[in-house]
């Protein structure tokens, strides 16, 4: 089993719901220039200690740890539109049942 991994997370100022995970705060040396260009400006969000086997909001910590080790960064993108629509429909259904 892999060990805990510290990382810094940045929010894209250009792409909604896109987050860039890097090993160290303000160190983008392993991130391809093309990725940085697509994301536009980055805003620091937080530092996080990744624990193997833990589920994050939209990623699995094992996947993030593996990407950090293999390529030096992890890019989290929003879920596909159909998943977002399904989640919205579920919430609407739940609210309708409460009324």
């Amino acid at each position: 089993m892999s060990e805990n991994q510290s990382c810094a997370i940045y929010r894209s100022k250009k792409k909604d719901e896109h987050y860039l995970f890097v090993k160290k705060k303000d160190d983008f040396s392993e991130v391809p220039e093309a990725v940085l260009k697509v994301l536009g400006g980055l805003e620091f969000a937080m530092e996080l200690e990744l624990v193997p086997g833990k589920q994050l909001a939209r990623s699995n910590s094992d996947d993030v740890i593996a990407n950090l080790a293999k390529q030096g960064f992890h890019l989290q993108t929003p879920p596909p539109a159909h998943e977002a629509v399904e989640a919205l429909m579920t919430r609407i259904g739940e609210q309708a049942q409460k009324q």
Side-chain angles (χ1 to χ4, degrees):
M1 183 178 256
S2 58
E3 297 179 15
N4 290 7
Q5 167 75 52
S6 296
C7 71
I9 305 171
Y10 293 83
R11 171 184 311 111
S12 170
K13 290 183 178 181
K14 185 177 177 182
K15 295 278 203 176
D16 194 33
E17 296 186 59
H18 283 66
Y19 293 88
L20 179 67
F21 293 63
V22 293
K23 295 176 190 174
K24 295 179 184 170
K25 187 175 180 185
D26 297 331
D27 182 1
F28 305 104
S29 61
E30 297 185 70
V31 182
E33 189 63 38
V35 171
L36 294 173
K37 186 175 181 179
V38 167
L39 294 175
L42 294 169
E43 178 179 64
F44 177 73
M46 72 174 85
E47 289 186 273
L48 183 65
E49 183 77 16
L50 298 166
V51 177
K54 271 219 144 164
Q55 182 64 38
L56 304 174
R58 291 205 176 132
S59 299
N60 181 292
S61 62
D62 294 333
D63 295 336
V64 178
I65 291 168
N67 285 337
L68 289 172
K70 182 178 178 182
Q71 61 192 24
F73 72 97
H74 173 79
L75 182 60
Q76 178 179 294
T77 59
H82 70 276
E83 288 181 22
V85 170
E86 287 174 9
L88 176 61
M89 296 305 291
T90 299
R91 272 187 286 160
I92 291 170
E94 289 170 354
Q95 289 175 352
Q97 289 177 352
K98 290 179 182 177
Q99 295 178 351

